[in-house]
Amino acid sequence: MNKPLLTVLLLWFAGLGAAAQFAKFSLVFADLSAFYSTSGAGSLLGFLVSGISLLGIVFGLAAGVIVARYGVRRLLIAGMLLGAVVSVIQATLPALEWMLAVRLIEGASHLVVVVAAPTLISQITKPQFQPLAMSLWSTFFGVAYALTAWFGTPLVAHFGITSLFWVHAIWMLGMAAALWAVLPRDVIPPRTRTEGLLRQHLTIYSDPAKSAPGLAWLCYTLTFVAILTVIPPFIAPESRTLVLGIMPLAGISVSMTLGVLLQRWMSAVNVVVLGFSGAALATVCFAISNGNPVFVVLLFASLGFVQGANFSAIPALNPTAEGRAHAQGAVAQMGNLGNTLGTPVVLVMIGWMGFYGLIVFALLAYGAGIAVHLGLARKRAKITPA
C-alpha cells in the first residue's frame, strides 16, 4: 500500500475515533442514566451526549484558526492523545459532575480531530483523487455509529459499559501512534497578530470561499439527525424498521459512488446544489404521496451528494492549507450548531403544523442550502472574474 493511501486511511480511522466520541455515549445512554439515577441530576443527563457539541458551537471556528497557526500534525496527535486520556477517565465512571466536565474537555479533542484530519487529507491527496478522499472522510460519522452499534453492543453485554470506554481509549492511542509515524512534520507559517474571537468570525464568514462549505453544512445538519429522529411515526409500521436502516446507508453509498463520479464533470459546489435540489424534490414527493417511504430513502440518497461534495468543496475553493483549516473550522462549528438546533426546531414546527411542519422545515433548509452556495458562488465570481 502506497504511503498517501495509507495516510488517508489512518486519518479516516482517526475520524472514526472522533465520531465514536458521540456514538459511545449514545450506545450506553440508558445504562448511564440508570447508573447516575441516584445523583438527583436527571435533567443534566442529556448533556452526556450533547455536551460535546457545546464547545464546537462556540469554538469550532477558533479551532480552525488554531490548527492553521500551530501545526496540523502536532494538534491532531495532541487531540487524539487527549481523547485517549479522557476515555480512560470516563472508564472509571466518576461522579456525574466530573463526567460532564470531562465530556466538555472531550469536546476539545473532537474539535481538533475533525478540523485537522480532513485538512491533512486535502493536503496530501492529489487533486484528481480529492473528491474520492473527501467523500470517504464524509462517511466517518455514519460508519462510526454503525461500527459502535455492531461491535459495541456485544462488548458492553459481555464486559459492561466501561469496556467501551477502554476500547475507545486504545483506539485513540493507537491511531495517535500510527499518525505520529507516518505524517510529515508541520511547516509552521510565520506568526501574525492573532485576531479576537469575534473578529475571526467576521473575517472568515465574510469570505465567500471559506464560509460556503460551513454555511451549506449547517443546512444539511439541521435536517439529517432531526429527520432521522422524528420521521418514524410518519412511516408505516410494517416498513419502518427496514426504511430507518436503509436511509443513512443510502446517503453513504451515493456519496462514495455517484457523488464521486459526478465530480469528474461538475464542480463540487454544483454537486452539492444538485443534492439539495434532489432532497427538496423528494420532500415534495413525500408530502404529495402522503408519506410513501420510498421518497424518504430518495431524500437521504440525494443528501449523499451533499455529504461528500461539500467536503470536496473545501480544497476546491481554498487552495492554501490555512484557508482549508479555516473552512474546516467553519464546517465543524456549523455542523455542531445544526445538530443541536435541528431536532428542537422541527419538533416545534410539527407541534404547530403536524406532518406539514416537517415538510416545510426540510424545504426551508434545502432551499437555504441552494441559495447559500449559488449566492456565494456569484460573490466569488465578482471578486475573481474569469
Side-chain angles (χ1 to χ4, degrees):
M1 183 181 293
N2 63 59
K3 187 175 180 180
L5 176 58
L6 173 63
T7 306
V8 167
L9 289 176
L10 288 174
L11 289 166
W12 183 64
F13 290 152
L16 296 182
Q21 291 172 321
F22 278 92
K24 64 183 180 182
F25 273 84
S26 296
L27 179 67
V28 298
F29 182 71
D31 302 280
L32 289 171
S33 297
F35 179 81
Y36 288 115
S37 61
T38 59
S39 66
S43 61
L44 295 176
L45 288 172
F47 287 103
L48 288 177
V49 177
S50 63
I52 196 172
S53 297
L54 299 179
L55 213 65
I57 294 172
V58 179
F59 296 110
L61 197 64
V65 175
I66 292 168
V67 164
R69 183 176 177 83
Y70 293 101
V72 187
R73 174 186 183 268
R74 177 187 302 174
L75 288 179
L76 172 60
I77 294 171
M80 297 296 291
L81 291 174
L82 177 60
V85 171
V86 164
S87 277
V88 169
I89 297 172
Q90 291 166 346
T92 68
L93 296 179
L96 180 60
E97 58 270 22
W98 287 108
M99 181 67 95
L100 290 169
V102 169
R103 191 69 170 145
L104 288 175
I105 295 171
E106 190 169 31
S109 164
H110 179 83
L111 257 185
V112 169
V113 175
V114 299
V115 170
T119 300
L120 280 167
I121 289 174
S122 66
Q123 286 179 18
I124 66 176
T125 307
K126 293 181 179 179
Q128 63 266 36
F129 297 122
Q130 281 182 354
L132 178 60
M134 299 310 292
S135 294
L136 173 66
W137 169 257
S138 74
T139 68
F140 79 103
F141 219 86
V143 171
Y145 263 82
L147 291 176
T148 304
W150 292 339
F151 296 103
T153 301
L155 181 74
V156 170
H158 283 86
F159 302 103
I161 59 178
T162 61
S163 62
L164 191 62
F165 298 125
W166 282 112
V167 169
H168 184 253
I170 293 169
W171 181 275
M172 298 293 277
L173 183 62
M175 289 304 104
L179 290 168
W180 179 83
V182 302
L183 289 175
R185 291 186 177 276
D186 290 310
V187 177
I188 308 296
R191 296 287 172 86
T192 57
R193 183 180 178 183
T194 303
E195 295 180 317
L197 187 61
L198 177 60
R199 176 62 64 181
Q200 290 171 0
H201 282 73
L202 293 174
T203 299
I204 293 174
Y205 281 116
S206 64
D207 186 312
K210 293 178 180 178
S211 64
L215 294 174
W217 198 240
L218 171 63
C219 301
Y220 170 89
T221 54
L222 273 171
T223 67
F224 189 86
V225 173
I227 291 178
L228 280 173
T229 302
V230 305
I231 200 70
F234 301 110
I235 300 174
E238 61 271 17
S239 57
R240 187 174 296 161
T241 301
L242 176 63
V243 171
L244 290 175
I246 291 174
M247 284 160 57
L249 295 178
I252 291 173
S253 61
V254 167
S255 175
M256 291 300 298
T257 55
L258 294 175
V260 173
L261 288 173
L262 276 180
Q263 289 180 67
R264 293 185 177 183
W265 302 285
M266 300 171 62
S267 70
V269 166
N270 286 338
V271 174
V272 174
V273 171
L274 175 67
F276 277 131
S277 301
L281 178 60
T283 301
V284 171
C285 292
F286 183 65
I288 293 173
S289 66
N290 198 29
N292 188 321
V294 169
F295 295 112
V296 182
V297 175
L298 290 176
L299 188 159
F300 274 78
S302 298
L303 289 179
F305 291 111
V306 178
Q307 178 180 308
N310 199 65
F311 278 101
S312 298
I314 294 172
L317 297 177
N318 299 280
T320 67
E322 181 183 44
R324 293 171 184 179
H326 290 175
Q328 195 63 57
V331 167
Q333 184 173 50
M334 291 295 102
N336 280 290
L337 183 62
N339 286 329
T340 301
L341 293 180
T343 302
V345 170
V346 74
L347 286 173
V348 169
M349 294 190 70
I350 290 173
W352 177 36
M353 302 172 63
F355 172 71
Y356 290 100
L358 170 62
I359 302 302
V360 171
F361 169 79
L363 291 177
L364 287 174
Y366 302 143
I370 294 168
V372 160
H373 261 313
L374 293 182
L376 291 177
R378 284 194 292 269
K379 188 173 180 180
R380 290 192 299 272
K382 292 178 181 179
I383 296 172
T384 56

